[in-house]
């Protein structure tokens, strides 16, 4: 598909172009200036421009002074990363807000080894090392979120920092074959903050307003503090529908083509809130309370036309959905001695999801619909968690011992009411309209972190985790139990105790547990062929109550060099050996809901797999290496992945959704002549093809996303940020190839993508 259009000037584009031009002029116009007096390139909007010093020191003295200033700044993200024994990347507020992104997926896509699914510029599901489908553990404040929640529902304004852990640890859990992403919400700090952000974004003529407010202050003079963050936003978009399915008869060579075209229009409104209140109860104990609310409501309108029609020629679908999640966490810590601390955490939550869709299908231009389906579902999720953690410092041996117990429970209920032409839908008749399922997870762990010498740091941990899942459904009750032991070893070696270089090593065991919906065997009948036989590309879906968790043995090896001006250069290599790999497999089955065999897709344990890769990262200022260079801030990374699945023919027998690699390059610069910072980045993921099973293969087009921003610090407390996402939009598509003994069905779907512009006012009051 090719929907390229001539570029039309846009008012926001013109403003961004003028800012870029000003930057280019400033690079040649300013008087000579020493590196020490040059302002930092990535200033926060509320930070005023660095004043010019009246007198400059000689270059040698200036350089020495700057090195000393960086050395004492021990609280930076890079210094915390350097001090961690287990491999960790920390992304703070400055990096999160740099491009003014509307969702966390767009923030995370620029990090080493991270890829996102979906259309360019829209965020999408988060994958570390290219591995999707539950290989990446996603946490919010160290807690797993209920079904229906995704990180895209969390505005970046609510996030204090993002922690990326490339290898599992006993404390954060071992359900992290690819790694762990822990999103930490805004914290209650002692300093006062009253921040307002007002923004409006535009994509294809649709406006997306956004407003957020953050308040941080003391509760009392005894260490009490609070933080409240509110965000309200609206998102409207319209996408093309373009699907082409080609069926080739392998015996006769005859081909038939079916196309589906149309548009899909979406509207969404959301309100998010999180708060943290903390008190010092006495000299040795603290208590904090953390409520967290996500509420969204949306609707969509889908119009499609099918040629030639199977059961219809055109269809009109209107859908409404609501999602609300409220969770309250509490944390109590107490010092039991000079070197011992007890921490207790607990939380309760509830999530509610409601959906309703009305679909009308028309045949041969007849005004009255040939088929009407009215489908409603109401679901709720109740969750709770309880964690106990005991920390003890052994002196003078410098061992830091931590042990803990965890318990977590979730219960889901769902009721569905579906009518087709006034009668109960297929599926509801056979499997009932009510569904109930629950999971109980318990865990225990112990870990020890110590320094054998001034050049070595070591970590050893052991974790046991057990999961019990069960469901109650008509004719499809399920009960599944599994448990896993995961030993974990990490080490850091410095060639010299004062060296900026260090080597990381990890040997770990991790796992991926089946999702509850994968265990429940209750089928979902494909609406395209509700009765009789179906085709492989319109397969029914069902679960598998006999699924076992995947187990992985992993090795990580990394070299890191920390630069004098806060940058880092690293090379990280990893390898994972996975057993009992889970994969959705489409097969022709004899089923209870049809008198003839039907194609059914269900998850299965298909065997073993292995994956390995290398991740390169360079984050630095250009004047780190060239004394007279412009102090550009550069962030770049390149990751290359390879995997193979046993029992599936090559050459593309890779892990599901894993591309060959991903690359990022970003640069920003603060003008010397004006309080303006400009920058841009490019994210690239090559086209991908994966052989998912002997019968099925999946394809994805390349993704190339250009982003840019310009920030004007109006004064000390006010900033105006203009940003653009997906500046050079490409058509995006994905597809599948299904080959049976009789035919090959090739399907491709996708559409155009568009540039999104945003103007945001940032104020501290």
């Amino acid at each position: 598909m090719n929907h390229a259009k001539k570029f039309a000037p846009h008012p926001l584009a013109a403003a961004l172009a003028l800012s870029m031009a000003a930057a280019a002029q400033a690079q040649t116009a300013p008087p000579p200036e020493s590196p020490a007096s040059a302002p930092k390139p990535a200033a926060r909007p509320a930070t005023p421009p660095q004043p010019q010093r009246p007198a400059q020191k000689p270059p040698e003295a200036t350089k020495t002074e700057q090195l000393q200033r960086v050395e004492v700044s021990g609280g930076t993200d890079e210094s915390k990363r350097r001090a961690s024994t287990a491999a960790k990347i920390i992304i703070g507020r400055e990096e999160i807000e740099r491009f003014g992104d509307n969702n966390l997926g767009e923030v995370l896509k620029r990090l080493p080894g991270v890829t996102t699914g979906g259309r360019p510029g829209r965020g999408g599901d988060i994958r570390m090392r290219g591995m999707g489908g539950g290989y990446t553990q996603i946490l919010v404040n160290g807690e797993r979120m209920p079904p229906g929640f995704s990180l895209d529902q969390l505005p970046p304004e609510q996030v204090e920092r993002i922690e990326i852990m490339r290898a599992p640890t006993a404390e954060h859990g071992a359900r992290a074959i690819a790694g762990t992403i822990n999103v930490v919400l805004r914290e209650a700090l002692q300093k006062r903050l009253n921040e307002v952000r007002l923004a409006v974004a535009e994509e294809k003529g649709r406006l997306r307003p956004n407003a957020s407010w953050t308040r941080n202050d003391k509760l009392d003079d005894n260490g009490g503090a609070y933080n409240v963050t509110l965000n309200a936003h609206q998102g409207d978009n319209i996408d093309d529908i373009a699907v082409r399915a080609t069926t080739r008869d392998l015996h006769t060579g005859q081909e038939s083509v079916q196309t589906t075209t149309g548009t899909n229009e979406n509207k969404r409104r959301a309100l998010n809130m999180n708060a943290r209140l903390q008190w010092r109860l006495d000299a040795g104990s603290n208590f904090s309370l953390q409520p967290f609310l996500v509420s969204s409501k949306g609707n969509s309108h889908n119009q499609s036309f099918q040629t030639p029609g199977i059961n219809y020629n055109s269809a009109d679908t209107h859908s409404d959905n609501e999602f609300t999640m409220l969770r309250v966490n509490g944390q109590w810590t107490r010092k039991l001695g000079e070197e011992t601390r007890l921490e207790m955490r607990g939380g309760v939550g509830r999530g509610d999801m409601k959906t309703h869709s009305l679909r009308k299908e028309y045949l041969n231009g007849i005004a009255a619909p040939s088929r009407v389906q009215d489908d409603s579902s109401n679901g709720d999720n109740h969750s709770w968690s309880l964690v106990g953690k005991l920390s003890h410092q052994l002196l003078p041996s410098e061992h830091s011992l931590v042990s803990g117990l965890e318990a977590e429970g979730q219960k889901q209920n769902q009721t569905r009411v579906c009518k087709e032409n006034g009668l109960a839908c297929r599926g509801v008749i056979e499997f009932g309209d009510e569904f109930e399922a629950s999971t109980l997870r318990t865990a225990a762990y112990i870990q020890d972190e110590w320094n054998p010498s001034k050049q070595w740091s070591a970590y050893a941990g052991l974790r046991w985790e057990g999961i019990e899942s069960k469901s109650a459904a008509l004719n499809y009750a399920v009960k599944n139990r599994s448990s896993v032991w995961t030993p974990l070893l990490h080490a850091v070696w410095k060639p010299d105790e004062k060296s900026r270089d260090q080597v990381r090593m990890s040997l770990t065991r991790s796992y991926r547990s089946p999702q509850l919906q994968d265990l429940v065997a209750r089928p979902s009948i494909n609406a395209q062929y509700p009765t009789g036989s179906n085709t492989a590309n319109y397969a029914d879906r069902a679960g598998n109550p006999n699924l076992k968790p995947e187990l992985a043995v992993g090795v990580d090896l990394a070299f890191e060099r920390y630069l004098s001006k806060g940058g880092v250069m690293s090379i990280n290599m990893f390898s994972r050996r996975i057993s009992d790999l889970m994969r959705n497999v489409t097969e022709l089955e004899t089923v209870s809901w049809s008198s003839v065999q039907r194609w059914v897709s269900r998850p299965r344990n298909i065997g073993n797999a292995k994956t390995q890769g290398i991740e390169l990262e360079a984050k630095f200022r250009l004047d780190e290496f060239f004394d007279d260079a412009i102090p550009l801030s550069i962030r770049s990374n390149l990751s290359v992945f390879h995997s193979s699945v046993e029992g599936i023919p090559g050459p593309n027998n890779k892990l599901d959704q894993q591309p060959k690699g991903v690359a990022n390059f970003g640069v920003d610069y603060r003008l010397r002549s004006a309080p303006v910072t400009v920058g841009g980045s490019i994210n690239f993921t090559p086209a991908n093809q994966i052989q998912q099973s002997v019968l099925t293969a999946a394809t994805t087009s390349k993704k190339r996303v250009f982003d840019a921003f310009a920030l004007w610090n109006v004064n000390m407390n006010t900033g105006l940020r203009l940003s653009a996402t997906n500046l050079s939009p490409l058509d995006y598509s994905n597809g599948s190839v299904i080959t049976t003994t009789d035919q090959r069905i090739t399907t491709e779907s996708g559409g155009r993508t568009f540039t999104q512009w945003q103007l945001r006012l940032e104020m501290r009051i």
Side-chain angles (χ1 to χ4, degrees), residues 371-403:
R371 177 174 175 265
V372 177
Q373 179 168 316
D374 194 330
D375 198 344
S376 300
S377 66
N378 294 325
D380 61 76
N381 176 280
H382 301 262
S383 62
W384 60 270
S385 64
L386 184 63
V387 177
K389 173 183 169 184
L390 183 66
S391 306
H392 185 68
Q393 188 79 24
L394 296 177
L395 297 176
S397 61
E398 297 187 358
H399 282 262
S400 178
L401 289 172
V402 178
S403 58

Side-chain angles (χ1 to χ4, degrees), residues 158-192:
Q158 287 188 265
V159 178
E160 185 70 29
R161 66 183 181 275
I162 303 171
E163 300 172 344
I164 311 292
M165 287 161 274
R166 286 172 162 163
T169 62
E171 182 176 351
H172 286 95
R175 281 195 281 180
I177 292 178
T180 297
I181 297 176
N182 182 34
V183 177
V184 180
L185 302 180
R186 298 293 286 264
E187 297 178 337
L189 305 176
Q190 292 294 325
K191 63 181 180 181
R192 291 184 176 180

Side-chain angles (χ1 to χ4, degrees), residues 734-747:
N734 53 58
S736 65
V737 180
I738 303 176
T739 306
T740 67
T741 56
D742 300 319
Q743 56 186 203
R744 178 181 291 114
I745 305 170
T746 303
T747 305

Side-chain angles (χ1 to χ4, degrees), residues 447-515:
Q447 64 185 37
D448 183 12
E449 190 170 359
W450 74 101
N451 298 322
S453 69
K454 293 183 179 181
Q455 293 174 252
W456 281 92
S457 299
Y459 169 104
L462 180 65
R463 182 181 178 92
W464 173 89
E465 191 161 325
I467 302 177
E468 179 181 296
S469 304
K470 57 183 179 180
S471 70
L474 183 63
N475 301 324
Y476 287 96
V478 172
K479 192 169 186 179
N480 182 288
R481 292 182 179 178
S482 62
S483 62
V484 179
W485 285 95
T486 51
L488 309 160
L489 298 172
H490 303 276
V492 176
W493 173 67
K494 297 180 179 180
D496 181 83
E497 60 180 284
K498 297 182 180 180
S499 174
R500 292 182 176 274
D501 300 338
Q502 60 187 30
V503 178
R504 294 186 179 275
M505 296 154 278
S506 298
L507 177 62
T508 59
R509 193 184 193 199
S510 53
Y511 77 102
R512 174 193 179 208
S513 61
Q515 300 292 324

Side-chain angles (χ1 to χ4, degrees), residues 38-44 50 94 98 565 620-623 631-635 667-671 676-679 709 711:
K40 295 182 180 180
R44 296 176 61 117
Q50 298 288 336
E94 182 177 334
R98 184 183 304 274
K565 296 183 180 180
F620 58 92
R621 272 176 46 177
L622 195 59
D623 57 351
L632 294 174
S633 178
I634 295 175
R635 299 170 306 281
V667 59
D668 59 79
Y669 172 64
R670 183 165 183 179
L671 277 65
V676 175
T677 303
V678 294
F709 78 94
L711 169 64

